[in-house]
Amino acid sequence: MEAFEESGLLDDDNATLVTKDAAELNVSAVDGATADGGILQTRTYDLHITYDKYYQTPRLWLFGYDEHRQPLKVEQMYEDFSQDHAKKTITMESHPHLLNSIMASVHPCRHAEVMKKIIQTVQDGGHELGVHMYLVIFLKFVQAVIPTIEYDYTRQFTM
């Protein structure tokens, strides 16, 4: 090994892990990065999907938490939603199955119409869309209303 080091073939690799002791890591949080390894903490949401009997479509409910896992205030949740839809398509309402829980809800009045158009577009493209893909497509459609929330991207469909 000494001969290898002396030959100059051993270069410093900038991509190697730089170790720091715990005192250095606990300096301060910068731009959301925490003392636990520089991981960026973000807001999280619980998503609930219920069936709306009146509109006969799925209905999405959201409850948000801040970076420290504390419930978000109503105005903080509105910050994460498209401003074109906040307080119009997305409103704060009581969840139909959970007592005393006010959640953000995406109003389902146009869900059926939009989902029918998406399904028709897929069929016009010569593809078959199975029933099991309906909720995946529904979540992708709803993401237009809530662009800051990312879902699982492991499923794809072709239009």
Side-chain angles (χ1 to χ4, degrees), residues 9-117:
L9 295 174
L10 182 65
D11 294 328
D12 289 336
D13 185 0
N14 292 335
T16 57
L17 178 65
V18 177
T19 58
K20 297 181 181 180
D21 65 16
E24 289 179 276
L25 289 175
N26 289 324
V27 176
S28 68
V30 179
D31 297 329
T34 63
D36 55 344
I39 297 172
L40 180 64
Q41 300 294 318
T42 59
R43 293 179 176 176
T44 57
Y45 279 83
D46 288 340
L47 304 178
H48 299 245
I49 299 174
T50 60
Y51 184 75
D52 190 285
K53 290 180 184 179
Y54 183 81
Y55 291 102
Q56 298 182 359
T57 63
R59 184 169 190 164
L60 184 66
W61 301 85
L62 301 107
F63 190 79
Y65 300 93
D66 68 10
E67 296 81 358
H68 306 289
R69 198 71 183 142
Q70 298 301 310
L72 292 174
K73 294 180 176 74
V74 170
E75 291 307 315
Q76 290 175 304
M77 283 194 273
Y78 277 130
E79 292 171 1
D80 292 336
F81 307 141
S82 162
Q83 293 307 301
D84 293 338
H85 299 96
K87 298 181 183 177
K88 299 171 195 142
T89 305
I90 301 174
T91 56
M92 297 297 163
E93 301 179 41
S94 295
H95 191 285
H97 305 296
L98 301 174
L99 295 176
N100 300 324
S101 61
I102 302 296
M103 294 186 178
S105 172
V106 180
H107 196 272
C109 62
R110 300 209 44 221
H111 291 179
E113 175 187 337
V114 172
M115 290 301 293
K116 283 180 184 177
K117 285 182 182 178

